[in-house]
Amino acid sequence: MKSSEFYNQIIQIATGAARLDTYYRALLQALHHHQTETPTWELFLEVLTEAGQIAIKNELITFQLTDLNEAVLTHKNGLQNLLEFLSNQIKMIEEQGIPTDSYFNWHISIILERGAAWLTNDGESKKKLPSNPTWSDLYFLFKIGREYE
């Protein structure tokens, strides 16, 4: 997949008016559904899109992080970092709310776009993305997307 294709598809992901914590919960649910699949850029798009659909429809199910496959979590592929990041963000938003005077991005479409821009050099590159992405790439999309302007 080309960088520009990935970027252009990321910025089209519908999230409606879902709050960030709702999207993150939906993302945890989508990751639970896809946890045993081999990471690809196409899978990342599918997971992010699925999370948007879940968040818009507010079809969240309750499950614990311990429900995720232990073999997947112990594998050093970045999924654990992503899950911990999302869980910590949800907890922080629940406890403190979404700040209005922060330099962090708090709207999911901005986080997705800025994270994708960072991964793809602002979506301008016609070169292919690395052929073997890991869950760490998705983790960094969110981590950097929160901070990158």
Side-chain angles (χ1 to χ4, degrees):
M1 172 174 280
K2 292 180 182 173
S3 294
S4 57
E5 293 171 328
F6 182 76
Y7 177 84
N8 288 333
Q9 289 183 43
I10 286 282
I11 62 173
Q12 294 177 34
I13 292 175
T15 58
R19 284 176 37 113
L20 182 58
D21 52 333
T22 301
Y23 181 82
Y24 282 168
R25 280 189 191 90
L27 183 56
L28 287 172
Q29 184 173 320
L31 288 167
H32 180 256
H33 181 249
H34 295 280
Q35 66 179 314
T36 59
E37 297 177 43
T38 302
T40 64
W41 297 107
E42 292 80 9
L43 176 62
F44 293 165
L45 289 168
E46 184 178 341
V47 167
L48 297 171
T49 300
E50 185 177 317
Q53 293 167 348
I54 292 167
I56 288 170
K57 295 176 184 174
N58 201 16
E59 294 178 338
L60 296 169
I61 60 171
T62 303
F63 69 93
Q64 303 297 317
L65 286 181
T66 54
D67 292 340
L68 290 159
N69 183 323
E70 188 171 324
V72 171
L73 294 179
T74 57
H75 188 269
K76 300 208 182 310
N77 62 9
L79 185 57
Q80 183 66 38
N81 289 339
L82 176 59
L83 297 173
E84 288 175 4
F85 173 79
L86 295 172
S87 296
N88 289 337
Q89 290 297 298
I90 292 167
K91 183 178 178 181
M92 184 191 65
I93 292 169
E94 286 174 345
E95 292 174 357
Q96 302 172 12
I98 295 176
T100 57
D101 61 344
S102 171
Y103 66 86
F104 287 116
N105 295 317
W106 291 98
H107 193 278
I108 191 58
S109 64
I110 295 171
I111 292 170
L112 290 173
E113 188 277 330
R114 292 288 66 208
W118 176 79
L119 279 173
T120 65
N121 296 319
D122 287 322
E124 295 298 322
S125 177
K126 301 270 188 236
K127 69 177 185 176
K128 285 191 160 217
L129 291 164
S131 59
N132 296 315
T134 68
W135 291 110
S136 291
D137 293 309
L138 198 56
Y139 163 71
F140 283 114
L141 181 143
F142 283 98
K143 184 157 176 47
I144 300 298
R146 279 194 60 235
E147 301 172 9
Y148 185 52
E149 280 299 321

